[in-house]
Amino acid sequence: MEIKTAKSGFCVGIKRAYNGMNRIAKTREKVNVFHRVSTSAQAREWDTLRRIEKEDSELFEEYPNLVNVSVIDNPSMIKSGDDVVLGFHGIEKPVKEELLTKNVDIEDLQCPFISRYNSTLEELTSEGYNLIAFGRKDDHHCLDAQSVAKAYGRTCVTVEKPEDINHINFNAENKWACVGSVTGNTVLWKAVVSKLNENEIEIKIVETVCRDSFKRQDEASQLSKEADIVLVVDDGGGASTSVFEVCSSVNDTVYRVSSKEDVKIEWLKDISSIAIVGGILVPQWTIDEMASYVNTLHSYQ
Ligand code: SF4
């Protein structure tokens, strides 16, 4: 059986944050890190800071100074005058403002794509645009777009697919702009952009879907086309869901697994190839370990 593995591993924003923490921790005995955590329990378990807390041996081998990093669970634990390093996910604006009023020294390693998405929301709404936020309704980036629009007295409509645009009540008096969730489904995003470009009312479209999403989903889609079945190593985050959706659009047999124990031996019966892909919180070594496990499981048939 041929096993085709994705090579994306951690996304660029996560690698950048780990590199930054590793650099900072090289010259300090203790570094406090913190960032916004997901509302999904599964994504929290896969979170990059949780991985530091668990003292992941492969992670520490790649970023040895992370042994000096201490994870803070709650911003209320950060005291006046403390230093804090923010992980790839950053923090909500009010939390950051509160830390700054406490004179906390913040080193911000938030992913630049997330920073750009957030600043784009502020710029557009402050310039008077209503928003079309592409992404899943429960995606926190779309929820952020709703909050920012509300704060500026603008309308924000979330669209998950091109057909949703038909239900928007565009009126010529308002300016409209569209942003895409950074980890959104890139196939649907392109379809939404295409449909918006046909609209009679001019809509400003800002490309905010991140570079990693395009690359990761393109790779996953290609591997899924070439394989009999697909395993998506699911970290519970929005990027994993987008990968799953893209794979499912080109392959009828796609399974979401979060550990080796989830893989069923009967899935491997009568197949000649399998693709293994993952979300942004799934390191390359986990994909490779899954491939090795699947290979062993297949040999028992
Ligand atoms: S998936 Fe994209 S936006 Fe999200 S952290 Fe990674 S690089 Fe940044």
Side-chain angles (χ1 to χ4, degrees), residues 11-13 88 111 113-114 182-183 210 212 280:
C11 73
V12 291
F88 85 96
C111 171
F113 290 104
I114 298 177
V182 285
T183 55
C210 88
D212 187 276
I280 62 168

Side-chain angles (χ1 to χ4, degrees), residues 50-234:
R50 180 83 186 100
R51 196 173 280 282
I52 296 173
E53 285 181 310
K54 288 194 273 193
E55 300 180 357
D56 184 304
S57 56
E58 277 114 332
L59 183 74
F60 280 16
E61 198 174 307
E62 203 161 328
Y63 306 97
N65 304 318
L66 293 185
V67 291
N68 295 335
V69 165
S70 172
V71 177
I72 293 173
D73 293 327
N74 189 319
S76 64
M77 295 163 67
I78 304 169
K79 300 194 182 51
S80 179
D82 279 356
D83 296 342
V84 70
V85 175
L86 302 182
F88 85 96
H89 220 203
I91 50 176
E92 296 90 337
K93 194 175 166 193
V95 179
K96 191 168 190 176
E97 285 169 355
E98 196 184 328
L99 292 179
L100 289 172
T101 59
K102 286 203 281 184
N103 284 327
V104 171
D105 188 9
I106 299 173
E107 186 119 18
D108 194 348
L109 297 177
Q110 182 180 51
C111 171
F113 290 104
I114 298 177
S115 304
R116 180 167 177 270
Y117 177 84
N118 293 340
S119 60
T120 300
L121 297 179
E122 296 272 349
E123 281 163 26
L124 291 171
T125 47
S126 65
E127 287 169 14
Y129 283 93
N130 286 337
L131 294 179
I132 299 165
F134 165 75
R136 284 174 293 278
K137 287 198 165 63
D138 60 353
D139 177 302
H140 74 85
H141 297 295
C142 291
L143 295 173
D144 286 348
Q146 296 282 354
S147 303
V148 174
K150 191 173 174 196
Y152 283 90
R154 311 289 169 215
T155 296
C156 178
V157 182
T158 300
V159 300
E160 297 188 328
K161 53 191 182 308
E163 305 85 78
D164 294 344
I165 295 165
N166 298 335
H167 306 297
I168 300 177
N169 183 18
F170 292 110
N171 43 47
E173 303 91 63
N174 291 316
K175 298 195 287 183
W176 287 86
C178 179
V179 293
S181 174
V182 285
T183 55
N185 176 324
T186 55
V187 175
L188 287 176
W189 167 242
K190 286 178 202 163
V192 163
V193 168
S194 171
K195 190 164 172 69
L196 286 173
N197 280 330
E198 294 165 6
N199 204 294
E200 285 173 8
I201 293 179
E202 192 185 340
I203 295 162
K204 181 181 172 105
I205 297 167
V206 186
E207 179 56 270
T208 50
V209 177
C210 88
R211 194 176 68 224
D212 187 276
S213 295
F214 282 102
K215 189 163 161 281
R216 179 179 305 273
Q217 292 173 36
D218 280 354
E219 180 188 48
S221 174
Q222 189 55 41
L223 292 176
S224 299
K225 283 178 193 162
E226 296 166 0
D228 292 332
I229 73 166
V230 184
L231 292 188
V232 177
V233 182
D234 184 2

